[in-house]
PDB file of all heavy atoms in Angstrom:
ATOM      1  N   ASP A 382      26.503  -2.278 -13.370  1.00 69.00           N
ATOM      2  CA  ASP A 382      27.813  -2.440 -14.021  1.00 69.00           C
ATOM      3  C   ASP A 382      27.714  -3.181 -15.340  1.00 69.00           C
ATOM      4  O   ASP A 382      28.575  -3.993 -15.675  1.00 69.00           O
ATOM      5  CB  ASP A 382      28.785  -3.192 -13.091  1.00 69.00           C
ATOM      6  CG  ASP A 382      28.867  -2.528 -11.741  1.00 69.00           C
ATOM      7  OD1 ASP A 382      28.764  -1.287 -11.700  1.00 69.00           O
ATOM      8  OD2 ASP A 382      29.011  -3.255 -10.735  1.00 69.00           O
ATOM      9  N   GLN A 383      26.668  -2.954 -16.083  1.00 70.00           N
ATOM     10  CA  GLN A 383      26.565  -3.587 -17.386  1.00 70.00           C
ATOM     11  C   GLN A 383      26.390  -2.481 -18.418  1.00 70.00           C
ATOM     12  O   GLN A 383      25.288  -2.047 -18.688  1.00 70.00           O
ATOM     13  CB  GLN A 383      25.372  -4.531 -17.418  1.00 70.00           C
ATOM     14  CG  GLN A 383      25.166  -5.169 -18.766  1.00 70.00           C
ATOM     15  CD  GLN A 383      24.106  -6.236 -18.731  1.00 70.00           C
ATOM     16  OE1 GLN A 383      24.441  -7.402 -18.713  1.00 70.00           O
ATOM     17  NE2 GLN A 383      22.856  -5.840 -18.696  1.00 70.00           N
ATOM     18  N   SER A 384      27.500  -1.987 -18.938  1.00 76.00           N
ATOM     19  CA  SER A 384      27.399  -0.829 -19.810  1.00 76.00           C
ATOM     20  C   SER A 384      27.700  -1.155 -21.267  1.00 76.00           C
ATOM     21  O   SER A 384      27.325  -0.415 -22.152  1.00 76.00           O
ATOM     22  CB  SER A 384      28.321   0.287 -19.327  1.00 76.00           C
ATOM     23  OG  SER A 384      29.624  -0.200 -19.254  1.00 76.00           O
ATOM     24  N   LEU A 385      28.379  -2.287 -21.550  1.00 82.00           N
ATOM     25  CA  LEU A 385      28.726  -2.603 -22.940  1.00 82.00           C
ATOM     26  C   LEU A 385      28.001  -3.867 -23.383  1.00 82.00           C
ATOM     27  O   LEU A 385      28.115  -4.923 -22.753  1.00 82.00           O
ATOM     28  CB  LEU A 385      30.236  -2.802 -23.076  1.00 82.00           C
ATOM     29  CG  LEU A 385      31.079  -1.539 -22.855  1.00 82.00           C
ATOM     30  CD1 LEU A 385      32.564  -1.862 -22.950  1.00 82.00           C
ATOM     31  CD2 LEU A 385      30.718  -0.466 -23.881  1.00 82.00           C
ATOM     32  N   ILE A 386      27.233  -3.732 -24.454  1.00 86.00           N
ATOM     33  CA  ILE A 386      26.472  -4.872 -24.950  1.00 86.00           C
ATOM     34  C   ILE A 386      26.948  -5.178 -26.373  1.00 86.00           C
ATOM     35  O   ILE A 386      26.899  -4.307 -27.259  1.00 86.00           O
ATOM     36  CB  ILE A 386      24.954  -4.564 -25.003  1.00 86.00           C
ATOM     37  CG1 ILE A 386      24.474  -3.965 -23.675  1.00 86.00           C
ATOM     38  CG2 ILE A 386      24.165  -5.809 -25.376  1.00 86.00           C
ATOM     39  CD1 ILE A 386      24.519  -4.888 -22.505  1.00 86.00           C
ATOM     40  N   ALA A 387      27.429  -6.416 -26.577  1.00 90.00           N
ATOM     41  CA  ALA A 387      27.891  -6.821 -27.919  1.00 90.00           C
ATOM     42  C   ALA A 387      26.708  -7.376 -28.695  1.00 90.00           C
ATOM     43  O   ALA A 387      25.892  -8.115 -28.155  1.00 90.00           O
ATOM     44  CB  ALA A 387      28.975  -7.878 -27.793  1.00 90.00           C
ATOM     45  N   LEU A 388      26.635  -6.995 -29.971  1.00 91.00           N
ATOM     46  CA  LEU A 388      25.492  -7.371 -30.792  1.00 91.00           C
ATOM     47  C   LEU A 388      25.971  -8.134 -32.013  1.00 91.00           C
ATOM     48  O   LEU A 388      26.964  -7.769 -32.650  1.00 91.00           O
ATOM     49  CB  LEU A 388      24.764  -6.075 -31.192  1.00 91.00           C
ATOM     50  CG  LEU A 388      23.615  -6.149 -32.169  1.00 91.00           C
ATOM     51  CD1 LEU A 388      22.548  -7.098 -31.658  1.00 91.00           C
ATOM     52  CD2 LEU A 388      23.012  -4.767 -32.352  1.00 91.00           C
ATOM     53  N   SER A 389      25.292  -9.238 -32.346  1.00 92.00           N
ATOM     54  CA  SER A 389      25.630  -9.986 -33.561  1.00 92.00           C
ATOM     55  C   SER A 389      24.345 -10.516 -34.181  1.00 92.00           C
ATOM     56  O   SER A 389      23.310 -10.565 -33.521  1.00 92.00           O
ATOM     57  CB  SER A 389      26.580 -11.146 -33.231  1.00 92.00           C
ATOM     58  OG  SER A 389      25.978 -11.974 -32.262  1.00 92.00           O
ATOM     59  N   VAL A 390      24.434 -10.902 -35.456  1.00 93.00           N
ATOM     60  CA  VAL A 390      23.242 -11.391 -36.139  1.00 93.00           C
ATOM     61  C   VAL A 390      23.559 -12.726 -36.814  1.00 93.00           C
ATOM     62  O   VAL A 390      24.675 -12.950 -37.281  1.00 93.00           O
ATOM     63  CB  VAL A 390      22.739 -10.337 -37.158  1.00 93.00           C
ATOM     64  CG1 VAL A 390      23.678 -10.177 -38.326  1.00 93.00           C
ATOM     65  CG2 VAL A 390      21.337 -10.642 -37.628  1.00 93.00           C
ATOM     66  N   HIS A 391      22.574 -13.628 -36.772  1.00 91.00           N
ATOM     67  CA  HIS A 391      22.781 -14.967 -37.344  1.00 91.00           C
ATOM     68  C   HIS A 391      21.553 -15.344 -38.168  1.00 91.00           C
ATOM     69  O   HIS A 391      20.436 -14.985 -37.801  1.00 91.00           O
ATOM     70  CB  HIS A 391      22.955 -16.027 -36.251  1.00 91.00           C
ATOM     71  CG  HIS A 391      23.906 -15.599 -35.178  1.00 91.00           C
ATOM     72  ND1 HIS A 391      25.262 -15.758 -35.299  1.00 91.00           N
ATOM     73  CD2 HIS A 391      23.673 -14.985 -33.992  1.00 91.00           C
ATOM     74  CE1 HIS A 391      25.830 -15.255 -34.204  1.00 91.00           C
ATOM     75  NE2 HIS A 391      24.887 -14.777 -33.397  1.00 91.00           N
ATOM     76  N   GLY A 392      21.761 -16.073 -39.220  1.00 90.00           N
ATOM     77  CA  GLY A 392      20.641 -16.551 -40.030  1.00 90.00           C
ATOM     78  C   GLY A 392      21.146 -17.555 -41.049  1.00 90.00           C
ATOM     79  O   GLY A 392      22.361 -17.702 -41.246  1.00 90.00           O
ATOM     80  N   PRO A 393      20.253 -18.236 -41.713  1.00 91.00           N
ATOM     81  CA  PRO A 393      20.659 -19.249 -42.707  1.00 91.00           C
ATOM     82  C   PRO A 393      21.095 -18.573 -44.016  1.00 91.00           C
ATOM     83  O   PRO A 393      20.285 -18.426 -44.939  1.00 91.00           O
ATOM     84  CB  PRO A 393      19.394 -20.081 -42.899  1.00 91.00           C
ATOM     85  CG  PRO A 393      18.270 -19.162 -42.559  1.00 91.00           C
ATOM     86  CD  PRO A 393      18.789 -18.173 -41.563  1.00 91.00           C
ATOM     87  N   GLY A 394      22.304 -18.116 -44.074  1.00 88.00           N
ATOM     88  CA  GLY A 394      22.790 -17.437 -45.265  1.00 88.00           C
ATOM     89  C   GLY A 394      23.925 -16.498 -44.909  1.00 88.00           C
ATOM     90  O   GLY A 394      24.425 -16.494 -43.776  1.00 88.00           O
ATOM     91  N   ASP A 395      24.293 -15.706 -45.884  1.00 92.00           N
ATOM     92  CA  ASP A 395      25.422 -14.789 -45.708  1.00 92.00           C
ATOM     93  C   ASP A 395      24.878 -13.402 -45.331  1.00 92.00           C
ATOM     94  O   ASP A 395      24.452 -12.635 -46.187  1.00 92.00           O
ATOM     95  CB  ASP A 395      26.197 -14.755 -47.041  1.00 92.00           C
ATOM     96  CG  ASP A 395      27.418 -13.846 -46.966  1.00 92.00           C
ATOM     97  OD1 ASP A 395      27.704 -13.355 -45.856  1.00 92.00           O
ATOM     98  OD2 ASP A 395      28.042 -13.620 -48.018  1.00 92.00           O
ATOM     99  N   PHE A 396      24.886 -13.081 -44.017  1.00 94.00           N
ATOM    100  CA  PHE A 396      24.332 -11.812 -43.535  1.00 94.00           C
ATOM    101  C   PHE A 396      25.429 -10.950 -42.921  1.00 94.00           C
ATOM    102  O   PHE A 396      26.328 -11.475 -42.254  1.00 94.00           O
ATOM    103  CB  PHE A 396      23.253 -12.040 -42.465  1.00 94.00           C
ATOM    104  CG  PHE A 396      21.998 -12.668 -43.022  1.00 94.00           C
ATOM    105  CD1 PHE A 396      21.759 -14.028 -42.876  1.00 94.00           C
ATOM    106  CD2 PHE A 396      21.072 -11.904 -43.712  1.00 94.00           C
ATOM    107  CE1 PHE A 396      20.622 -14.609 -43.397  1.00 94.00           C
ATOM    108  CE2 PHE A 396      19.923 -12.480 -44.228  1.00 94.00           C
ATOM    109  CZ  PHE A 396      19.693 -13.833 -44.069  1.00 94.00           C
ATOM    110  N   THR A 397      25.323  -9.646 -43.157  1.00 93.00           N
ATOM    111  CA  THR A 397      26.283  -8.708 -42.557  1.00 93.00           C
ATOM    112  C   THR A 397      25.509  -7.622 -41.819  1.00 93.00           C
ATOM    113  O   THR A 397      24.499  -7.118 -42.331  1.00 93.00           O
ATOM    114  CB  THR A 397      27.163  -8.048 -43.643  1.00 93.00           C
ATOM    115  OG1 THR A 397      27.648  -9.066 -44.509  1.00 93.00           O
ATOM    116  CG2 THR A 397      28.317  -7.290 -43.029  1.00 93.00           C
ATOM    117  N   LEU A 398      25.999  -7.311 -40.607  1.00 93.00           N
ATOM    118  CA  LEU A 398      25.332  -6.293 -39.779  1.00 93.00           C
ATOM    119  C   LEU A 398      26.048  -4.962 -39.944  1.00 93.00           C
ATOM    120  O   LEU A 398      27.277  -4.893 -39.840  1.00 93.00           O
ATOM    121  CB  LEU A 398      25.391  -6.741 -38.312  1.00 93.00           C
ATOM    122  CG  LEU A 398      24.786  -5.802 -37.277  1.00 93.00           C
ATOM    123  CD1 LEU A 398      23.267  -5.783 -37.403  1.00 93.00           C
ATOM    124  CD2 LEU A 398      25.177  -6.258 -35.872  1.00 93.00           C
ATOM    125  N   PHE A 399      25.292  -3.906 -40.191  1.00 94.00           N
ATOM    126  CA  PHE A 399      25.869  -2.561 -40.275  1.00 94.00           C
ATOM    127  C   PHE A 399      25.288  -1.716 -39.140  1.00 94.00           C
ATOM    128  O   PHE A 399      24.072  -1.595 -39.023  1.00 94.00           O
ATOM    129  CB  PHE A 399      25.553  -1.922 -41.637  1.00 94.00           C
ATOM    130  CG  PHE A 399      26.233  -2.624 -42.774  1.00 94.00           C
ATOM    131  CD1 PHE A 399      25.586  -3.646 -43.459  1.00 94.00           C
ATOM    132  CD2 PHE A 399      27.532  -2.283 -43.136  1.00 94.00           C
ATOM    133  CE1 PHE A 399      26.215  -4.301 -44.499  1.00 94.00           C
ATOM    134  CE2 PHE A 399      28.167  -2.948 -44.191  1.00 94.00           C
ATOM    135  CZ  PHE A 399      27.509  -3.965 -44.868  1.00 94.00           C
ATOM    136  N   GLY A 400      26.178  -1.164 -38.337  1.00 91.00           N
ATOM    137  CA  GLY A 400      25.765  -0.409 -37.146  1.00 91.00           C
ATOM    138  C   GLY A 400      26.735  -0.762 -36.045  1.00 91.00           C
ATOM    139  O   GLY A 400      27.580  -1.650 -36.206  1.00 91.00           O
ATOM    140  N   PRO A 401      26.651  -0.077 -34.894  1.00 90.00           N
ATOM    141  CA  PRO A 401      27.625  -0.353 -33.830  1.00 90.00           C
ATOM    142  C   PRO A 401      27.536  -1.801 -33.329  1.00 90.00           C
ATOM    143  O   PRO A 401      26.450  -2.245 -32.956  1.00 90.00           O
ATOM    144  CB  PRO A 401      27.236   0.635 -32.715  1.00 90.00           C
ATOM    145  CG  PRO A 401      26.015   1.343 -33.179  1.00 90.00           C
ATOM    146  CD  PRO A 401      25.712   0.987 -34.570  1.00 90.00           C
ATOM    147  N   ALA A 402      28.672  -2.511 -33.384  1.00 88.00           N
ATOM    148  CA  ALA A 402      28.673  -3.901 -32.919  1.00 88.00           C
ATOM    149  C   ALA A 402      28.662  -3.960 -31.396  1.00 88.00           C
ATOM    150  O   ALA A 402      28.349  -4.982 -30.801  1.00 88.00           O
ATOM    151  CB  ALA A 402      29.907  -4.623 -33.461  1.00 88.00           C
ATOM    152  N   THR A 403      29.033  -2.837 -30.760  1.00 88.00           N
ATOM    153  CA  THR A 403      28.980  -2.777 -29.293  1.00 88.00           C
ATOM    154  C   THR A 403      28.149  -1.564 -28.897  1.00 88.00           C
ATOM    155  O   THR A 403      28.404  -0.449 -29.368  1.00 88.00           O
ATOM    156  CB  THR A 403      30.392  -2.636 -28.693  1.00 88.00           C
ATOM    157  OG1 THR A 403      31.174  -3.720 -29.156  1.00 88.00           O
ATOM    158  CG2 THR A 403      30.351  -2.659 -27.182  1.00 88.00           C
ATOM    159  N   ILE A 404      27.172  -1.796 -28.057  1.00 87.00           N
ATOM    160  CA  ILE A 404      26.287  -0.705 -27.632  1.00 87.00           C
ATOM    161  C   ILE A 404      26.749  -0.213 -26.261  1.00 87.00           C
ATOM    162  O   ILE A 404      26.923  -1.014 -25.335  1.00 87.00           O
ATOM    163  CB  ILE A 404      24.818  -1.200 -27.550  1.00 87.00           C
ATOM    164  CG1 ILE A 404      24.379  -1.710 -28.927  1.00 87.00           C
ATOM    165  CG2 ILE A 404      23.896  -0.097 -27.074  1.00 87.00           C
ATOM    166  CD1 ILE A 404      23.063  -2.443 -28.910  1.00 87.00           C
ATOM    167  N   ASP A 405      26.945   1.079 -26.176  1.00 85.00           N
ATOM    168  CA  ASP A 405      27.461   1.664 -24.929  1.00 85.00           C
ATOM    169  C   ASP A 405      26.289   2.246 -24.118  1.00 85.00           C
ATOM    170  O   ASP A 405      25.614   3.179 -24.567  1.00 85.00           O
ATOM    171  CB  ASP A 405      28.472   2.771 -25.283  1.00 85.00           C
ATOM    172  CG  ASP A 405      29.214   3.252 -24.045  1.00 85.00           C
ATOM    173  OD1 ASP A 405      28.788   2.879 -22.937  1.00 85.00           O
ATOM    174  OD2 ASP A 405      30.207   3.985 -24.197  1.00 85.00           O
ATOM    175  N   LEU A 406      26.048   1.678 -22.931  1.00 81.00           N
ATOM    176  CA  LEU A 406      24.947   2.151 -22.076  1.00 81.00           C
ATOM    177  C   LEU A 406      25.474   2.892 -20.847  1.00 81.00           C
ATOM    178  O   LEU A 406      24.802   2.944 -19.820  1.00 81.00           O
ATOM    179  CB  LEU A 406      24.071   0.964 -21.636  1.00 81.00           C
ATOM    180  CG  LEU A 406      23.315   0.234 -22.743  1.00 81.00           C
ATOM    181  CD1 LEU A 406      22.599  -0.986 -22.190  1.00 81.00           C
ATOM    182  CD2 LEU A 406      22.308   1.150 -23.410  1.00 81.00           C
TER     183      LEU A 406
END
Side-chain angles (χ1 to χ4, degrees):
D382 307 326
Q383 177 172 258
S384 56
L385 293 177
I386 311 293
L388 174 57
S389 57
V390 69
H391 314 276
D395 181 6
F396 291 100
T397 312
L398 178 70
F399 293 92
T403 303
I404 301 169
D405 190 349
L406 295 175

